[in-house]
Amino acid sequence: MAEPSPAAPGNIWQMLDSYQPAPIVPDELVDAHGDLRPAWNDFLQYLSAQSPAVMESLFRRGDTYLRDSGVFLRQYTNEVSRERPWPLSHMPVLIHEREWDEISNGLKQRADLLERVAADLYGENTLVRDGFLPGRLIAESPEWLRQLVGVKPPSGKYLHFLAFEIGRGPNGQWWVLNDRTQAPSGAGYALENRVATSRIYAEHYANAKVLRLSSFFRDFRTSLLNLRRSPDHHVAIMTPGPYSETYYEQAYIARYLGLLLVEGEDLTVHKGEVHVRTVSGLQPVDVLWRRLDALYSDPLELEEGSKLGTPGLVGAARRGTVSMVNALGTGVLETRALMAFLPRIARQWLGEPLTLPNIATWWCGQAKERRHVLENVEKMMIAPALSTRMPFDPDETTVLAGQLKSSVHPTVQQLIDEEGTWLVGQEAVSFSTSPVFADGRLQPRPMSMRVFMVRTENGWSVMPGGFARIGPEEGSTVLNMQKGGSVADVWIVSDNPVDTHTRLSDGTSAMPRARQGALPSNAAENLFWLGRYVDRAEGFARLNRAYHSRLADAEPPGSPLLKHLSGYMKFIGLDVADAMPRALVGAIDATSRTAGSVRDRLSPDGWAAISEIVETVHADKGEVTPGDETARRMVWLLRESSGFTGLVHENMYRFTEWRFLSLGRSVERLMALASALASFLHPNAPEGALDLALEYGDSTISHRRRYAFMASRLSVIELLALDPLNPRSLIFHLDELKAQVGALPGAAENGHPSEVYAQTLRIHTNFRTMKAEAIDTNALLDFRAQIATLSDALGQAYMS
């Protein structure tokens, strides 16, 4: 490539990786004439004024934001999933607004064409009848759902939210690489990329003429709300669950747009309508933005083995009582072979060619096309015709024929001759390169881009940006994050001042408020158990600390007190031989698992606190000495756990979610403390057991201040069982339990308490009226059993 135009900043080219005789300049920086693309000028001027040390500090700023926000990529290796840091490429991709308008118009034309194709395939089917599409390609596609033939969506439109994978060739021509109509992902990631990148370049971005993303998400939210039959009905995002590769993004976008995030088991079809099971009973759902493939959405009529869907969902779609985004069955539009026929369909239906062409594709089921593929096999990529994967997907069974030796070509010809009906040939394209920072320099890396669109009342709205996939090395044809690729923000640069508002609301009208009780039962159950697991982990840590701190004080393991304590710990599943007992690690892992299932309802700080505990516990594989070292580890764990509890207490809105989290915490505290007191206050408990009870109840200092003498059985009972001002006492949490149950939906109607609330009142009254002398081991164990029964009743009433 020629040396860039001298109009570019002088020393920016020094940042490029140098090759002899001239630097290789990324295609995205310069046009075919070697002139700097106008979108880059101001940004490169800014970069050229920064030292390498400053750039490194800026990059750390963005990485810190992503880490603190809990943004991650779920990576699957050998059927094992793990979370790894979000692979952000710190250098954005810049495109001028004029060029973006051309891209947008081309994609709008393509979106309208795909809408008409979907309507025809599930309607009159003229494309097959008139020979524009081979019938076998449609009939044999697993994404074409016969059950939906003749079913028109309530809105009259099949497509509402689309994504397109596009790439630029080295000659500057943009191509559509893939259509995403099934369940497009990544819009939330695009937003997080923008936030992180804008923080990296905050000083420049504040005044840069970069189009903001908020207007697109405002259009998207409005579009979803307008699909409802009633303003009182719900819009929900249907997720495959927390182990989905893109679950973080689903939770993030649900929180950002203020929508319900539901799994298939959260929904039910009642009287032909979709409802979400909530703690207030069934509530109607009019709109489902599904994030799982249509085939798995209804085990009754589609994939019967699916555990992700909702029985009857197809029937509800058939009745027109639910709007699906996108309509069930539209995944057939992603079929790779369809790209071979879209250009001709466009000329027939639109009277014009596709403004933004797709990658050249030939279906090998036709003699002429098969012959063309074989004659140009060196330039071809041979792939399954019915595939919906991206070109060059590393998990795809793709043959890069151009990389094969001539002696192998007869094998390719034999493959095409025998299996041509199910194969396509696609032109093996080269991606343009975009600059990335690597080893302190700007270096070229191949790039493709995902662009998002939403249907509005005024037509298609295109996100002014998106996210770019960046190859891991120069010349790479695999732009996949699972295989080492990264992602970059996309900036659309204007010549004119831009609206810098970043809020979904313009502030002139109130946003719709969620209703009390609009909490899915499954989410309520996860929040309830999150509260229980956090408190359980704290209790286990306190017991483990008590045991090992006494070892540190030279008390022999065979002493009566330590034998009693170790016996109780063994009874509840804690092995004193382990510095980090498996039961404690299990409680921490369960905390992380349940928190991950309600990630859309936790603050980023709360999630970060949990993640830090889990990472630290699992990262420390070294041997830890019993005694003081183990006790100090427990102190650290208790402090971190208290940090999470404090964040939740301070930051979580006092709504139904908070009530179930609080209920779980109080139930676990009541059961664990009652059990511990029953053991430590037992008549046969050894000397020192009373002090142990105070330590476990974190009330040693309170006892000294209030009683100013050595602990007695009655003083411990008064403080840990009957003192309503002690936040660690049984009565304090019993009062809390009564208040929270009484505030739940349906707790009292027409002046009469519900069955579960009446049960709570009975337990509360009986314990409140007990004398200290009557609270012995049997009474405490009976009280624990009553709380366990109440916990089951809460589950039956609100979480089933």
Side-chain angles (χ1 to χ4, degrees):
M1 180 175 288
E3 184 75 21
S5 165
N11 68 337
I12 191 65
W13 306 114
Q14 298 173 12
M15 301 174 69
L16 292 169
D17 195 21
S18 296
Y19 294 85
Q20 296 297 327
I24 296 180
V25 181
D27 304 312
E28 291 300 316
L29 283 183
V30 297
D31 59 24
H33 304 290
D35 295 325
L36 183 70
R37 297 186 190 275
W40 288 90
N41 190 61
D42 290 346
F43 184 57
L44 291 183
Q45 290 280 7
Y46 167 77
L47 288 183
S48 65
Q50 312 305 316
S51 69
V54 169
M55 294 304 300
E56 285 297 323
S57 68
L58 296 180
F59 296 161
R60 285 196 298 270
R61 188 160 66 186
D63 292 340
T64 298
Y65 164 76
L66 292 171
R67 185 181 63 251
D68 292 346
S69 298
V71 187
F72 70 91
L73 171 69
R74 186 174 295 283
Q75 191 169 36
Y76 293 90
T77 55
N78 299 325
E79 299 183 355
V80 176
S81 70
R82 66 183 181 90
E83 295 180 3
R84 56 172 285 226
W86 183 243
L88 178 70
S89 175
H90 302 109
M91 190 74 170
V93 175
L94 275 62
I95 300 175
H96 196 277
E97 186 178 21
R98 286 191 298 273
E99 184 177 13
W100 189 252
D101 287 343
E102 295 176 2
I103 294 172
S104 299
N105 290 333
L107 293 179
K108 289 176 182 178
Q109 178 202 45
R110 190 177 187 87
D112 287 334
L113 179 64
L114 291 175
E115 172 66 37
R116 291 184 62 177
V117 172
D120 183 77
L121 292 180
Y122 289 99
E124 297 180 5
N125 212 4
T126 60
L127 289 174
V128 172
R129 184 194 67 194
D130 297 340
F132 287 92
L133 279 177
R136 68 180 68 178
L137 282 181
I138 304 303
E140 294 292 332
S141 171
E143 301 299 340
W144 186 66
L145 305 182
R146 297 176 184 271
Q147 297 88 338
L148 275 302
V149 172
V151 177
K152 292 184 177 181
S155 67
K157 301 295 183 181
Y158 289 79
L159 303 174
H160 294 274
F161 184 68
L162 298 174
F164 296 97
E165 207 78 30
I166 66 175
R168 191 206 298 264
N171 64 351
Q173 170 69 54
W174 286 98
W175 302 88
V176 174
L177 305 173
N178 198 255
D179 303 304
R180 285 300 178 203
T181 58
Q182 172 81 268
S185 63
Y189 285 133
L191 190 58
E192 282 285 43
N193 289 343
R194 173 60 55 88
V195 175
T197 307
S198 64
R199 291 197 178 191
I200 292 173
Y201 305 108
E203 292 78 7
H204 171 77
Y205 185 80
N207 299 312
K209 297 174 181 177
V210 177
L211 300 183
R212 283 13 181 200
L213 304 182
S214 58
S215 60
F216 173 82
F217 287 100
R218 186 162 56 242
D219 289 344
F220 187 21
R221 191 177 193 278
T222 301
S223 175
L224 292 175
L225 294 176
N226 287 344
L227 291 174
R228 294 176 299 176
R229 295 176 296 160
S230 166
D232 293 328
H233 293 184
H234 289 291
V235 176
I237 300 176
M238 188 178 186
T239 173
Y243 293 103
S244 164
E245 182 179 338
T246 59
Y247 179 74
Y248 168 81
E249 185 245 352
Q250 297 161 25
Y252 176 82
I253 204 72
R255 186 168 59 239
Y256 183 74
L257 296 178
L259 305 178
L260 286 180
L261 185 66
V262 299
E263 298 180 39
E265 64 182 359
D266 292 321
L267 302 173
T268 185
V269 178
H270 179 64
K271 296 183 178 179
E273 298 185 350
V274 179
H275 291 77
V276 57
R277 297 184 176 95
T278 77
V279 296
S280 296
L282 299 182
Q283 295 188 7
V285 175
D286 278 356
V287 184
L288 271 181
W289 177 18
R290 60 181 179 86
R291 297 297 301 271
L292 72 160
D293 290 353
L295 200 60
Y296 301 100
S297 62
D298 185 351
L300 194 62
E301 295 200 48
L302 300 174
E303 177 55 57
E304 64 179 16
S306 172
K307 298 182 183 301
L308 304 176
T310 303
L313 202 56
V314 170
R318 192 178 291 120
R319 293 181 180 89
T321 59
V322 63
S323 292
M324 306 293 290
V325 178
N326 290 320
L328 296 173
T330 51
V332 70
L333 300 176
E334 297 184 3
T335 304
R336 182 170 294 175
L338 190 61
M339 285 188 167
F341 303 95
L342 283 178
R344 183 187 174 202
I345 295 172
R347 289 191 295 271
Q348 176 68 22
W349 278 0
L350 306 180
E352 60 184 6
L354 289 170
T355 305
L356 199 65
N358 53 245
I359 182 174
T361 306
W362 296 268
W363 177 50
C364 296
Q366 297 168 303
K368 180 181 177 182
E369 284 72 14
R370 181 165 59 248
R371 185 167 57 253
H372 175 83
V373 170
L374 288 172
E375 290 173 353
N376 297 274
V377 71
E378 294 284 350
K379 305 174 185 177
M380 288 289 173
M381 175 180 66
I382 312 301
L386 299 182
S387 172
T388 60
R389 293 184 180 273
M390 272 283 295
F392 302 105
D393 191 312
D395 296 324
E396 182 63 276
T397 53
T398 301
V399 177
L400 295 175
Q403 296 179 2
L404 299 176
K405 298 179 181 179
S406 299
S407 61
V408 187
H409 284 175
T411 304
V412 177
Q413 180 167 353
Q414 182 181 3
L415 175 67
I416 293 177
D417 287 341
E418 295 178 355
E419 304 290 340
T421 301
W422 311 117
L423 296 172
V424 295
Q426 290 188 296
E427 183 180 3
V429 299
S430 297
F431 295 105
S432 68
T433 56
S434 189
V436 302
F437 276 101
D439 301 324
R441 294 174 178 268
L442 286 178
Q443 299 186 27
R445 293 289 185 271
M447 179 272 295
S448 70
M449 189 163 57
R450 179 165 290 193
V451 184
F452 302 93
M453 301 174 61
V454 62
R455 183 186 297 280
T456 71
E457 293 180 342
N458 301 316
W460 290 102
S461 172
V462 181
M463 180 189 290
F467 75 78
R469 298 177 186 267
I470 308 295
E473 57 187 20
E474 188 180 353
S476 173
T477 59
V478 177
L479 312 185
N480 187 296
M481 291 183 289
Q482 295 286 341
K483 301 298 180 178
S486 57
V487 294
D489 190 18
V490 179
W491 290 5
I492 308 305
V493 181
S494 176
D495 291 330
N496 305 309
V498 299
D499 181 4
T500 58
H501 288 93
T502 58
R503 296 175 300 175
L504 282 183
S505 172
D506 58 10
T508 60
S509 59
M511 296 285 282
R513 296 180 62 184
R515 299 196 307 276
Q516 171 78 2
L519 175 67
S521 299
N522 193 44
E525 183 174 19
N526 280 307
L527 287 164
F528 178 80
W529 279 99
L530 174 59
R532 290 199 62 172
Y533 287 136
V534 169
D535 206 81
R536 183 174 300 175
E538 285 188 14
F540 285 172
R542 290 184 186 282
L543 288 169
N544 207 38
R545 181 183 65 175
Y547 182 86
H548 286 276
S549 63
R550 281 160 176 76
L551 284 182
D553 291 337
E555 185 162 350
S559 71
L561 181 62
L562 286 189
K563 284 185 65 176
H564 185 86
L565 177 55
S566 62
Y568 176 70
M569 292 173 66
K570 183 178 180 180
F571 173 73
I572 63 174
L574 288 172
D575 187 353
V576 296
D578 293 334
M580 185 68 73
R582 281 179 292 179
L584 173 55
V585 175
I588 292 171
D589 287 341
T591 297
S592 177
R593 187 170 57 252
T594 51
S597 297
V598 287
R599 192 162 182 167
D600 58 313
R601 299 176 185 276
L602 298 178
S603 70
D605 288 338
W607 174 256
I610 291 176
S611 298
E612 184 174 347
I613 294 172
V614 174
E615 290 175 6
T616 303
V617 166
H618 285 282
D620 189 1
K621 301 296 184 182
E623 292 292 330
V624 180
T625 306
D628 183 64
E629 188 176 354
T630 298
R632 283 189 282 108
R633 291 182 74 196
M634 295 301 105
V635 170
W636 172 86
L637 183 58
L638 287 167
R639 287 174 179 170
E640 292 299 311
S641 178
S642 297
F644 168 75
T645 305
L647 284 169
V648 170
H649 184 77
E650 291 295 326
N651 297 338
M652 200 168 191
Y653 189 74
R654 288 340 190 225
F655 212 30
T656 315
E657 292 95 332
W658 177 77
R659 297 195 187 285
F660 278 91
L661 190 67
S662 299
L663 280 169
R665 181 167 174 260
S666 290
V667 164
E668 186 68 26
R669 181 69 58 84
L670 288 167
M671 293 176 64
L673 182 56
S675 175
L677 289 178
S679 175
F680 301 148
L681 296 179
H682 192 277
N684 296 330
E687 183 180 353
L690 295 178
D691 292 329
L692 189 60
L694 291 171
E695 182 178 339
Y696 175 74
D698 197 22
S699 298
T700 301
I701 295 177
S702 298
H703 186 275
R704 289 173 183 169
R705 287 178 176 174
R706 181 169 179 180
Y707 296 97
F709 54 79
M710 292 180 59
S712 68
R713 187 175 180 282
L714 285 179
S715 68
V716 171
I717 289 175
E718 282 188 14
L719 186 60
L720 290 181
L722 300 177
D723 191 337
L725 300 181
N726 181 9
R728 292 281 176 177
S729 73
L730 292 176
I731 196 61
F732 181 92
H733 282 278
L734 192 56
D735 288 344
E736 180 76 2
L737 196 65
K738 173 189 171 186
Q740 298 299 350
V741 173
L744 292 177
E749 295 183 4
N750 301 321
H752 298 286
S754 66
E755 183 177 344
V756 69
Y757 188 36
Q759 185 176 348
T760 306
L761 292 174
R762 287 193 296 270
I763 296 173
H764 183 270
T765 300
N766 290 338
F767 193 80
R768 264 280 186 185
T769 56
M770 287 186 72
K771 300 293 185 181
E773 295 80 4
I775 300 179
D776 56 15
T777 294
N778 291 332
L780 287 165
L781 292 177
D782 181 62
F783 176 75
R784 184 192 183 281
Q786 292 178 45
I787 298 299
T789 302
L790 177 61
S791 178
D792 292 340
L794 282 167
Q796 290 292 326
Y798 294 102
M799 295 175 263
S800 294

